[in-house]
Amino acid sequence: MLKVKKLSKVYKSGGRDVQAIDNVNLELSEGRFVSIIGRSGSGKSTLLNLLGGLDKPTTGEIIVDGIDITNMSDHALISYRGQKIGFIFQSYNLVPNLSAVENVMLPMEFIGVPKSERYTRAINLLEQVGFTNEEIKRKPSRLSGGQQQRVAIARALANKPKLILADEPTGNLDSHTGKIIFELLKKLSKSQKTTIIVVTHDLEIAQKTDQTYNLKDGKLKK
Amino acid sequence: MNVFSRGFKNAFRNATRSISIIIILGLAIGLSLVMVIARQAVSNKISSVNSSIGNTVTITPAGFSNFSSVNNALTTTQLTKIASLPHVISLTENLTDHLKTIGAAALPFGNSTNSNQTNLYSPVKLNFKKISKRHPGIFAAGGGFQIPANFSLPITIIGTNNPAQVNGNNLIISSGQLIQGSSNNNIALVSTAMASKNNLKIGSTFTAYNQPFTVTGIFTSNNTGLGNDIIVPLATEQRLSNQTGDVTKAIATIDSLTNLANTTNQIKNVLGSSADVVSSVQQAQNTIAPLNNIKTIALYSLIGSLVAAIIIIFLIMVMIVRERRREIGVLKAIGASNLRVSLQFICESITLTITGAIIGIIIGTAAANPITHLLVNNTTANNRPANGISRQFGGGGFKNIASGNGNFSLHQAKNGSFKGIRNSFNNIQAVVGWSVILDGIGAAIIIAVIGSTASSLLISKIRPAEVMRME
């Protein structure tokens, strides 16, 4: 499902080159739940951005579901992100003046899913992540951190993506809620057959994934 | 929820800020609409004046406008030459005089020995409070000049050979009949205001120059500027005022507008420096000059307020986009295109400006007439002749009013035909029609779209990866 070949990313910083990602190779099949650990500045977020089509690599290939995204135009990348990728962020990044269900409907609107279908699917997803009928109408300001992250997970799943990229999804949560969210992601990777890559600092959580990779100085090791 | 409803909803995300923006935009758009409406009203008035310009030439003795005594009245001999010029199809001749009311007080300056009197009282009520405020130099405060309690404005008597049209005004006879311009009898037309003030009816008599006059007709005095006037045959006025052969104003009608300029020059050549010769086109242009100034002021104000509105929405949208960089980054990360995100912000901007436009339309509707009148009054006041007080007294200079001197009222005689038009400026009606409302909405949309260009540019430059990196 995901093939990464000789991926490198070099930044210019202060007049010199910084090798953020150095010759990374990775291959994941459908429904895999893997984690990437590494110190701050090791290139974890850069790798996620490259895989998510938010940034372009200096060299190498990223093939998602048989399609090489490295040579895609910006316009094609938007479509790729909308249809194939789901993002989960550490600070949830929900749109504050939209309700939970409206936040989940948002990515579906971007790829042209009809309104009635959007609503039904969003309700189903929110039910799967444990929301009640009353809670789905709440705005993010009236939801706890754990609930907001559940909405973010439902939003990431909205367009049935092939790949979900989660950047420190439990970073802002207490350890109990963090574990619940992690279990939820694990369950969804199996039930939805979605490949999930989680970047985390938490070794305990990382060990519960199918595979853990360590990123150090831009190099990825098992 | 789609991009449009999201944009609409986002416009009211921060209620306090949104209300402030809407009020500011409302004021700017309101001012724009007021200027559009004022400009439209003034343009309509200019068109109406232009379309009513006749092909006439007004001839007055030289120096007629400075309110000094006229010792060089036009003569019948001079005017006979004018009447015989090619293209002159008729010549209206007037002789104007002023009569002091018997028993009324004179003002304590000027020559008060004038013997030309009448038993009529002027229907014109002077607002001395207003006049003294405008002319503190004449009405000195604290023990200065006091208006006598029994003061009455002198009556203007106009002798004419064409009573149907006096000083360019077509007389509308409300009762009785017109007098014959060629008559030499003591007959008169009086205005409705004069008749009412002095209880005059058809067949009533009054005294002027110590002679009895019979009222044969009463004319409507609305907007003619002739309310304080009595109209008599030219020969009668010349005989009684001992000015046989004298004329203080003549109006030559030319056969076509094409020949107006040439004939005006010919008349100037015949009369030389003894007379002021002004064509109706020149008079109209002079009269509407203040209105053209208002049009210019309105245009600049319109442009200014529109630019202000664009700058307001421009800065607001830039501020909003900068504030929501992260949100925009997330929207782009989860599949929103630049166009879609920009469209959402344009909708937000349009919502703010349309709401502002609704407030602006309300402001514009309420303020259009008062502001138009204020502009017209101020501008026309600034363009009045230097001796503005003469207007308060119906045309006569102040000294002449005091004296009742037979040779005053020069200003009125010169400007009489366009005085009605100038007075009608006060009646300019600023109309708020559907077109103005649609203009307002259209302007709001244009303001929103132009004002959103910078925000759209900023949106397109936001890279989700950079925003995510700031986590």
Side-chain angles (χ1 to χ4, degrees), chain A residues 50-68:
Chain A
L50 292 172
L51 296 178
L54 298 178
D55 212 346
K56 289 195 172 180
T58 310
T59 57
E61 287 178 5
I62 302 168
I63 297 162
V64 180
D65 211 18
I67 302 165
D68 184 358

Side-chain angles (χ1 to χ4, degrees), chain B residues 62 108 123 234 245 371 453 464:
Chain B
L234 177 64
I371 292 181
T453 48

Side-chain angles (χ1 to χ4, degrees), chain A residues 11 46 49 54-55 78 81-82 87 89-91 93 95-98 102 105-107 109-110 115 118 139 155 159, chain B residues 1-3 6 9-10 13 326-327 329-338 340 344 463-466 468-469 471:
Chain A
Y11 286 114
T46 305
N49 286 342
L54 298 178
D55 212 346
I78 289 169
R81 286 199 297 266
F87 285 99
F89 306 100
Q90 182 178 345
S91 48
N93 284 331
V95 179
N97 68 326
L98 299 184
E102 285 167 344
M105 287 163 70
L106 210 50
E109 179 197 320
F110 297 152
K115 194 177 177 182
R118 291 200 302 250
K139 288 188 178 167
R155 183 178 68 183
N159 288 339
Chain B
M1 184 167 281
N2 56 29
V3 66
R6 232 177 9 258
K9 205 172 170 182
N10 278 345
R13 207 149 141 175
R326 174 182 289 266
E327 185 182 317
V330 172
L331 291 176
K332 287 171 130 184
I334 64 174
S337 62
N338 282 327
R340 190 178 284 269
Q344 180 183 311
R463 295 185 62 225
E466 284 171 15
M468 299 302 126
R469 207 170 285 140
E471 284 240 326

Side-chain angles (χ1 to χ4, degrees), chain B residues 304-344:
Chain B
S305 46
L306 281 177
V307 169
I310 289 171
I311 291 172
I312 291 165
I313 201 74
F314 181 92
L315 294 175
I316 294 289
M317 292 315 293
V318 166
M319 188 177 77
I320 289 174
V321 167
R322 287 176 70 90
E323 227 175 57
R324 295 198 211 142
R325 280 191 80 224
R326 174 182 289 266
E327 185 182 317
I328 294 165
V330 172
L331 291 176
K332 287 171 130 184
I334 64 174
S337 62
N338 282 327
L339 180 67
R340 190 178 284 269
V341 181
S342 295
L343 203 58
Q344 180 183 311

